Amino acid sequence: MDHQPPRVPLSQLALRFISGKYQGGEFPLGENKEIIIGRSSDLDMVLVEDMVSRRHARIACSDVDITIEDLGSTNGTFVNGEKIKRSNLKEGDRVLIGTSILKVVTSDSNGAVRKTTGEAQRSTQGKTMSGAIDEIPLPDLLQLLGTSKKSGILVVQSDEDIGKIVMRKGSIVFASINDLEEVPPLKSVYRILTWTTGTFSLEPYDERPIEGEIEASVTEILMEGLRQIDELNNLRHRLPDLDARVLLVHPLQAPLRNLSPVELDVLQLAVNFGHVATILNKSPATDLETAEVMLKLMKESYLHVE
């Protein structure tokens, strides 16, 4: 028999802003039977921004459940990446309204919460949509941005790198890491998806075409990217370190005629550059495909680790 975890009393739940201009603020749910959210200054939760309708959404709290209902807003209300008309809310759910992402959380044990309205937060009005990827993982964030058809540059900063994912009306059209031109956009997106700590912000961008533009839906990127990440993680223990050098076996006895074009490309990169990180960067194939080829070339005595 399955044992369900104890349910948090609804009176202890709150909405915490984990992204947007009101980030860090909380709004108690248990003490409010009804919360009307929108841009109009006479509402319960006031979000002062263009993408929020005057009366955008309604949250109703009873003793048994919490529901959220879209009030015919222009830009929609989203729960866990899905556009909704009406939906139940539970702890851990994420709601997107305008550029604000709110998470249903257990409020502090002492009941102290910061009630957030546009009036209280006017000083932060210029803030972009931003937050921490520890709070909202990148796959979830991209799903929200894709479903709500957002446009902009998602700038993701980890401890060591800065990634940029350019979105146009919910589709991914370009990506880069540290502005490196040698790493193709798709490869950059898949690498950024592996980051689990850092910060993000959605910055505006103009509509001019970008050289090397791609056109990919968030769903396609996530399905393929997460598959590659899983398979690459399974290979990682067999791969040399990124700063290791792989060299051509000399004298070379394994026949070059047995290699495919992709395998010859990776072999050429190893001859020209040697370092594993550079081979991965310069290979036109994905990191997963390049890693698989490198392992094959090492196993069949074309390459060896210095």
Side-chain angles (χ1 to χ4, degrees):
M1 183 175 172
D2 291 338
H3 292 284
Q4 297 292 329
R7 192 171 170 183
V8 178
L10 298 184
S11 59
Q12 293 181 17
L13 295 179
L15 283 171
R16 176 181 297 152
F17 287 78
I18 60 174
S19 171
K21 64 177 70 171
Y22 311 118
Q23 187 183 341
E26 284 189 4
F27 198 103
L29 290 172
E31 63 191 54
N32 296 277
K33 293 298 179 190
E34 180 181 84
I35 302 164
I36 305 294
I37 305 168
R39 208 171 68 240
S40 182
S41 59
D42 59 346
L43 301 182
D44 306 295
M45 186 189 294
V46 183
L47 304 181
V48 187
E49 59 166 291
D50 293 341
M51 292 190 67
V52 175
S53 298
R54 290 185 64 77
R55 287 172 61 84
H56 196 107
R58 171 183 178 269
I59 294 177
C61 306
S62 71
D63 294 335
V64 292
D65 61 13
I66 300 170
T67 59
I68 183 167
E69 176 187 3
D70 185 79
L71 298 177
S73 67
T74 303
N75 292 298
T77 301
F78 300 84
V79 176
N80 299 328
E82 297 293 326
K83 190 172 187 177
I84 58 99
K85 289 187 177 178
R86 181 184 175 89
S87 176
N88 284 342
L89 290 179
K90 62 184 183 305
E91 187 177 16
D93 284 347
R94 295 183 179 92
V95 178
L96 174 67
I97 294 175
T99 62
S100 293
I101 301 173
L102 304 96
K103 185 177 182 181
V104 182
V105 299
T106 304
S107 57
D108 297 337
S109 57
N110 60 11
V113 292
R114 289 166 286 171
K115 191 165 179 176
T116 305
T117 67
E119 294 296 318
Q121 294 279 331
R122 286 245 167 108
S123 63
T124 61
Q125 196 160 338
K127 196 172 181 181
T128 59
M129 183 177 184
S130 60
I133 56 177
D134 314 59
E135 277 269 26
I136 176 163
L138 278 171
D140 294 3
L141 178 61
L142 283 172
Q143 190 72 56
L144 281 170
L145 297 177
T147 312
S148 56
K149 299 193 180 328
K150 289 279 193 292
S151 295
I153 303 174
L154 182 64
V155 181
V156 187
Q157 185 152 2
S158 70
D159 291 339
E160 299 172 353
D161 301 293
I162 297 176
K164 295 176 183 175
I165 300 174
V166 183
M167 304 192 70
R168 183 181 299 139
K169 295 179 181 174
S171 291
I172 294 173
V173 296
F174 193 75
S176 65
I177 297 175
N178 300 329
D179 294 324
L180 282 174
E181 293 182 2
E182 64 186 8
V183 184
L186 273 177
K187 188 183 288 192
S188 297
V189 177
Y190 297 150
R191 286 189 185 179
I192 294 168
L193 278 174
T194 65
W195 302 356
T196 55
T197 60
T199 60
F200 72 86
S201 61
L202 186 67
E203 309 291 349
Y205 85 111
D206 58 36
E207 295 288 335
R208 285 179 298 182
I210 301 165
E211 190 175 342
E213 206 171 279
I214 59 173
E215 183 74 32
S217 74
V218 168
T219 303
E220 291 169 343
I221 292 286
L222 291 181
M223 285 180 66
E224 178 60 19
L226 296 177
R227 180 192 72 80
Q228 288 196 25
I229 289 166
D230 283 345
E231 292 191 25
L232 196 54
N233 283 338
N234 291 334
L235 295 179
R236 201 166 293 280
H237 68 284
R238 293 163 50 201
L239 285 171
D241 292 337
L242 287 176
D243 57 358
R245 285 177 60 85
V246 288
L247 304 175
L248 190 67
V249 171
H250 185 78
L252 182 63
Q253 295 180 347
L256 293 174
R257 65 177 175 272
N258 290 350
L259 298 182
S260 70
V262 173
E263 290 164 352
L264 284 169
D265 284 345
V266 173
L267 188 71
Q268 181 81 56
L269 289 170
V271 170
N272 290 351
F273 301 102
H275 281 101
V276 172
T278 310
I279 295 168
L280 288 168
N281 282 349
K282 289 187 174 291
S283 170
T286 65
D287 283 340
L288 174 62
E289 196 175 3
T290 305
E292 288 173 336
V293 168
M294 214 181 307
L295 287 172
K296 178 184 177 182
L297 293 174
M298 290 162 57
K299 182 181 178 183
E300 296 182 1
S301 300
Y302 291 91
L303 297 174
H304 70 97
V305 181
E306 186 179 44

